[in-house]
Amino acid sequence: MKVFDIALKDLTRSFRSTFAVVFMLGVPLLVTGMFYFMFGNIASEGGFSLPKTKVVIANLDEGGPKFQVNPKNIPGGKKADTMGDLIVSILQSEDMADLIEVALVTSAESARTAVDSQNAQVAIIIPANFSHQFADVDGEAVIEFYQDPTLTIGPAIMRAILNRFMDGMAGVKIAVNVFLDEADSSKYVFAGQVVQLYLKDSLAESDDPAEELLDVRTPANGQNNEAEESQNLMLNIIGSIMGGMMVFYAYFTGASTAQSILREEEEHTLPRLFTTPTSQATILTGKFLSVFMTVFVQVIVLLIAARLIFGIQWGGILSVALMAAGIIFSASSFGIFLNSFLKNSKQGGVLFGGGLTVTGMMGMIKIFAMNSAIANKMGDTISLLVPQGWAIRGLMQSMNGEPTVSVLITLLASLVWSVTFFVIGVWRFNRRYV
Amino acid sequence: MSDVPAIEVLDLQKSFGENHAVQGVSFDVKQGEIFSLLGPNGAGKTTTISMLSCLLRPNNGDARVMGHSIRSDSTGVKSVLGVVPQDIALYEDLTARENLSFWGKMYGLRGSKLKLRVDEVLDVIGLRDRANERVGKYSGGMKRRVNIGVALLHKPKVIYMDEPTVGIDPQSRRNILDSVVKLKDEGMTVLYTTHYMEEAQELSDHIGIMDHGKLIACGTGEELVKLVGQQTRIDLTLNGDGSNVMQMWQAIDGVSRVSAEDGLVSVLVADSNLVLPHLFEAAAQLSIRITSVDIREPNLEAVFLHLTGRALRD
């Protein structure tokens, strides 16, 4: 009972300090908010603003049945003699102008070279038989999608656009096939009008095609598995930043709260506690429990606040619980461990400012490197050298919808860190006050 | 009240490396009395109290508080003990009521009993109307009162007060001294440390004088004064080098001791009326001018001077 009395007293003191509350809760949300507006510009425009993706298209389509499509009914309003022309016309339309910048080349090789030389992020190669295959009942119309493997955002957007277009085209193909089956050959020239009407209706459904396309979810884990729905791309980035901030500041809170043991010593309340009929074990357990409780409150509040304010999807409830447990245990025990080496609270500034910032940045390096495959891999390795890295790994796994067992394994690794830190910290504090 | 001493100290010793802070201190404190440990800063009073509070483990010796050994039954000692530390030991970001409630819980009080005791203690320390203010906003004297209040929560049989009047205004000091007497009237045993001679003399049934880690004298105020033979102390200030005149004064009949510190010469005499003219006469012979004279009847200050050759204030 006394253990909880001591812990609750510390919790009250922690959250009664305006500075502490701002530091624990305000700063992580504020930093994330800055990134949110920087990337999304939500407040002023109500939508995301992204750098344009450079797309190079090699339209080699030699055509098939004559569609006689009225350019007025095609996004972009250009003449389209083939299905390839139709795709190019749509991608060059004003609706897409905010998202992509299209350049045309005459060969597949040129398109790929443009990507290899990083002059473009994505190459789309429409084969010579594309329209023909489209018109053939048994045919399979395929577009080659060639991208810079180190990039994620631009290609993902482009893939989403094409997926949406091809989904629409699949519907068109069924409509055309039904028409060709039913009509006599003299009416084949009207097939183009069928395409035109279908496209008109399809595109008219959306007021803002670009915004709708952004809602198309990117594949999880880089795999094109529709069943494993991925999260919204931008919210994924904001979520990663918020998660990183949460871990970074949770470790500061753990260290700062554990420092209350030293502060109580300096404020003379710890010696006074030792004059009461309360055992040293009870007093120290209460102090340690207060560290866990404070970090627990911080992490829970931040998880909920980020969900409500930024709409961040943290993952399944079990994964989130495991991930949060990993952060809470490792941040708390790391704080106790660090403080057990301090002679007084004044030394804490140096240790926290240096040690926690460096290890925190190391742990978050994976987030900074998320837009580059090579740096991401290196960052993954470096971040796992510090406990913050494991906490962030669990966070990312949960957010990416990885299996719970993967998050559980990461939690176990975090617990190994935590137990090691906790045992050393408790041993040192016990020895200090014995 | 039984005859068992409230506090029984037996050859208590504590060293910190080469520093022998407490060297074989022994004394008894009867139940229901006020016992003062008097001595200058660094005399070993706080170290002694710390050992008696089970905060420090003695290198040698033992002590019993209401029969509980500080070596083998620290929980028993702590349960009958209230400690008022020298420094304010309160949570400044909590209110007085929250502080008292928390400390009450640490002494095992719960529920309605705790609430009742907190209210009673707030009345005793005179802070009920400001109980919900954060302690950090209190004056030094108010903090001292809460600091004492914490030690009273569980109605301890023995209370240690380690220099509770340091650095506070005269009014708060008067309140604290009055409250110490009240505690005695309620049957508590008080072990009080101070370096203010007047406090020890006013409050104490028995006084132990400590210096350099040793208990150099112990007894009632009267018993201690008798140690200096009821002598009067005359403090004089001179306008020149007093070494020669001090030798002449030492030779005067009725002078038992002459000492000097910081330009103040102290002379212990049997009868100041008889000796004082001779002091002026000797000074005049050496053309030394006496610029001030202060005659002090026998007190603990004189006892300390007699025993150590130094003034207590040093």
Side-chain angles (χ1 to χ4, degrees):
Chain A
M1 196 69 175
K2 285 182 181 177
V3 168
F4 287 102
D5 293 329
I6 293 168
L8 282 172
K9 178 262 299 171
D10 279 359
L11 199 66
T12 305
R13 294 185 73 200
S14 292
F15 284 95
R16 196 166 272 183
S17 158
T18 308
F19 175 79
V21 171
V22 168
F23 193 77
M24 280 191 277
L25 306 174
V27 174
L29 290 169
L30 191 67
V31 172
T32 307
M34 284 164 60
F35 278 102
Y36 188 69
F37 288 116
M38 196 192 303
F39 278 109
N41 204 14
I42 296 286
S44 57
E45 295 177 12
F48 288 118
S49 174
L50 289 168
K52 288 181 183 177
T53 304
K54 287 184 179 175
V55 181
V56 61
I57 305 173
N59 180 14
L60 309 176
D61 191 2
E62 293 171 348
K66 294 289 181 188
F67 294 122
Q68 296 181 353
V69 177
N70 184 348
K72 286 180 185 173
N73 291 327
I74 295 176
K78 291 182 179 172
K79 188 170 180 286
D81 290 330
T82 67
M83 289 298 292
D85 291 344
L86 197 59
I87 292 173
V88 171
S89 182
I90 289 172
L91 293 181
Q92 287 182 319
S93 70
E94 282 183 19
D95 289 335
M96 300 293 167
D98 290 339
L99 290 172
I100 57 177
E101 188 180 314
V102 176
L104 299 175
V105 294
T106 53
S107 70
E109 196 53 40
S110 305
R112 293 191 195 98
T113 305
V115 172
D116 291 341
S117 60
Q118 296 190 322
N119 288 323
Q121 292 161 303
V122 174
I124 294 170
I125 299 156
I126 304 169
N129 63 349
F130 186 70
S131 293
H132 188 79
Q133 287 291 322
F134 184 80
D136 187 346
V137 177
D138 300 320
E140 195 172 314
V142 177
I143 294 174
E144 185 182 343
F145 188 89
Y146 189 77
Q147 71 163 88
D148 184 340
T150 63
L151 302 178
T152 53
I153 301 172
I157 292 170
M158 199 57 232
R159 191 184 295 118
I161 293 170
L162 278 179
N163 280 343
R164 177 172 160 73
F165 178 78
M166 294 307 285
D167 284 348
M169 284 297 105
V172 170
K173 182 169 180 177
I174 293 166
V176 167
N177 285 336
V178 169
F179 172 77
L180 293 175
D181 281 349
E182 297 298 320
D184 57 54
S185 55
S186 63
K187 303 259 180 14
Y188 281 6
V189 292
F190 297 115
Q193 290 178 26
V194 173
V195 174
Q196 169 189 323
L197 284 169
Y198 196 95
L199 278 176
K200 187 181 173 186
D201 290 347
S202 172
L203 291 171
E205 285 172 6
S206 168
D207 293 335
D208 188 350
E211 186 182 317
E212 255 192 31
L213 287 164
L214 265 180
D215 285 341
V216 174
R217 297 189 169 212
T218 54
N221 306 326
Q223 295 170 10
N224 296 322
N225 187 349
E226 292 291 338
E228 293 179 20
E229 285 284 335
S230 61
Q231 297 172 1
N232 178 290
L233 192 60
M234 282 314 300
L235 288 184
N236 207 5
I237 294 170
I238 295 298
S240 300
I241 292 168
M242 179 67 220
M245 288 295 113
M246 184 169 69
V247 170
F248 189 79
Y249 284 96
Y251 273 73
F252 266 96
T253 300
S256 175
T257 313
Q259 204 183 34
S260 75
I261 301 171
L262 303 178
R263 281 198 299 271
E264 281 222 34
E265 193 180 337
E266 291 158 13
E267 291 165 357
H268 313 290
T269 45
L270 192 65
R272 186 170 210 168
L273 273 172
F274 288 139
T275 67
T276 65
T278 309
S279 69
Q280 177 176 311
T282 301
I283 293 167
L284 289 181
T285 305
K287 299 298 294 178
F288 298 147
L289 182 63
S290 75
V291 182
F292 285 97
M293 285 168 67
T294 307
V295 179
F296 174 83
V297 171
Q298 180 193 23
V299 169
I300 298 302
V301 169
L302 285 179
L303 283 172
I304 294 170
R307 176 75 185 92
L308 296 176
I309 297 170
F310 304 118
I312 294 168
Q313 302 278 352
W314 294 112
I317 188 77
L318 186 57
S319 293
V320 172
L322 293 174
M323 171 267 287
I327 296 172
I328 292 162
F329 284 120
S330 61
S332 307
S333 55
F334 195 49
I336 292 165
F337 170 78
L338 286 179
N339 278 281
S340 72
F341 287 89
L342 302 181
K343 284 185 180 171
N344 55 57
S345 62
K346 286 176 186 166
Q347 292 179 339
V350 180
L351 190 70
F352 300 164
L356 280 180
T357 305
V358 170
T359 54
M361 298 302 262
M362 280 174 72
M364 288 203 298
I365 204 163
K366 184 178 167 64
I367 293 173
F368 300 141
M370 68 190 296
N371 208 26
S372 162
I374 298 167
N376 198 355
K377 197 174 177 185
M378 271 181 61
D380 207 9
T381 308
I382 293 169
S383 68
L384 296 183
L385 296 175
V386 291
Q388 289 96 324
W390 287 92
I392 286 172
R393 182 191 177 100
L395 187 82
M396 303 291 267
Q397 286 173 327
S398 176
M399 289 175 71
N400 288 336
E402 289 187 29
T404 307
V405 70
S406 301
V407 185
L408 185 62
I409 290 167
T410 304
L411 170 68
L412 290 175
S414 274
L415 287 181
V416 170
W417 282 94
S418 307
V419 169
T420 307
F421 288 140
F422 187 73
V423 167
I424 294 172
V426 169
W427 175 73
R428 288 184 62 86
F429 270 122
N430 265 317
R431 205 177 59 160
R432 179 186 185 125
Y433 296 119
V434 73
Chain B
M1 215 170 280
S2 75
D3 291 336
V4 177
I7 306 168
E8 198 177 359
V9 182
L10 306 163
D11 193 27
L12 219 48
Q13 294 175 29
K14 184 67 187 176
S15 297
F16 302 99
E18 293 298 308
N19 176 23
H20 303 296
V22 175
Q23 305 175 47
V25 168
S26 300
F27 61 87
D28 286 352
V29 180
K30 290 179 189 167
Q31 289 189 37
E33 75 168 4
I34 298 174
F35 186 100
S36 290
L37 277 178
L38 178 69
N41 293 329
K45 305 186 297 289
T46 299
T47 306
T48 303
I49 285 243
S50 295
M51 285 189 283
L52 295 179
S53 317
C54 306
L55 274 179
L56 287 176
R57 195 170 177 78
N59 297 123
N60 200 10
D62 196 1
R64 293 183 199 287
V65 181
M66 299 304 292
H68 303 283
S69 164
I70 60 168
R71 281 187 171 275
S72 57
D73 185 15
S74 63
T75 307
V77 172
K78 290 172 181 178
S79 63
V80 296
L81 194 62
V83 179
V84 181
Q86 185 172 351
D87 301 294
I88 304 288
L90 300 168
Y91 301 105
E92 299 221 334
D93 36 16
L94 300 184
T95 66
R97 185 180 292 281
E98 287 169 336
N99 263 286
L100 292 171
S101 294
F102 171 74
W103 289 107
K105 287 173 188 168
M106 292 301 103
Y107 282 110
L109 301 173
R110 300 275 156 192
S112 57
K113 194 175 175 185
L114 172 66
K115 193 174 178 305
L116 183 69
R117 267 312 281 164
V118 167
D119 285 338
E120 285 175 358
V121 168
L122 282 168
D123 285 337
V124 169
I125 61 176
L127 288 171
R128 189 151 189 182
D129 55 335
R130 299 187 64 179
N132 295 322
E133 285 180 32
R134 291 192 192 181
V135 168
K137 293 181 178 174
Y138 282 3
S139 68
M142 290 163 76
K143 287 178 188 174
R144 285 271 172 208
R145 279 145 69 187
V146 181
N147 206 34
I148 292 171
V150 167
L152 306 178
L153 282 162
H154 61 302
K155 295 185 176 173
K157 292 194 168 93
V158 178
I159 186 162
Y160 299 164
M161 303 180 95
D162 191 7
E163 310 222 23
T165 58
V166 170
I168 58 169
D169 59 277
Q171 191 184 351
S172 296
R173 187 181 181 193
R174 187 69 259 158
N175 285 337
I176 288 172
L177 295 180
D178 289 346
S179 67
V180 174
V181 175
K182 267 189 200 168
L183 294 176
K184 183 197 168 186
D185 294 343
E186 288 171 13
M188 282 189 203
T189 305
V190 181
L191 177 60
Y192 190 95
T193 75
T194 182
H195 62 268
Y196 297 126
M197 176 269 298
E198 305 87 352
E199 285 183 6
Q201 199 146 18
E202 177 186 333
L203 294 174
S204 313
D205 296 304
H206 284 89
I207 300 163
I209 298 179
M210 286 193 77
D211 190 39
H212 294 308
K214 291 178 181 167
L215 190 71
I216 56 176
C218 190
T220 63
E222 279 184 18
E223 287 168 351
L224 291 172
V225 167
K226 278 182 186 168
L227 287 176
V228 289
Q230 303 285 354
Q231 290 187 314
T232 302
R233 195 176 97 196
I234 305 172
D235 289 335
L236 305 106
T237 311
L238 310 178
N239 71 341
D241 179 18
S243 51
N244 290 334
V245 79
M246 282 171 66
Q247 282 179 8
M248 288 181 71
W249 286 348
Q250 187 69 65
I252 293 171
D253 279 346
V255 172
S256 62
R257 183 172 184 153
V258 180
S259 61
E261 276 189 60
D262 298 334
L264 191 72
V265 180
S266 296
V267 183
L268 285 178
V269 299
D271 186 336
S272 57
N273 285 346
L274 289 176
V275 171
L276 203 53
H278 297 297
L279 297 182
F280 276 90
E281 200 176 303
Q285 284 174 17
L286 295 173
S287 302
I288 301 250
R289 190 175 176 78
I290 295 170
T291 55
S292 77
V293 178
D294 186 9
I295 299 169
R296 295 180 178 223
E297 291 299 320
N299 58 19
L300 293 174
E301 185 85 36
V303 174
F304 191 82
L305 181 73
H306 175 77
L307 293 172
T308 66
R310 292 180 291 115
L312 183 58
R313 59 181 174 275
D314 304 315

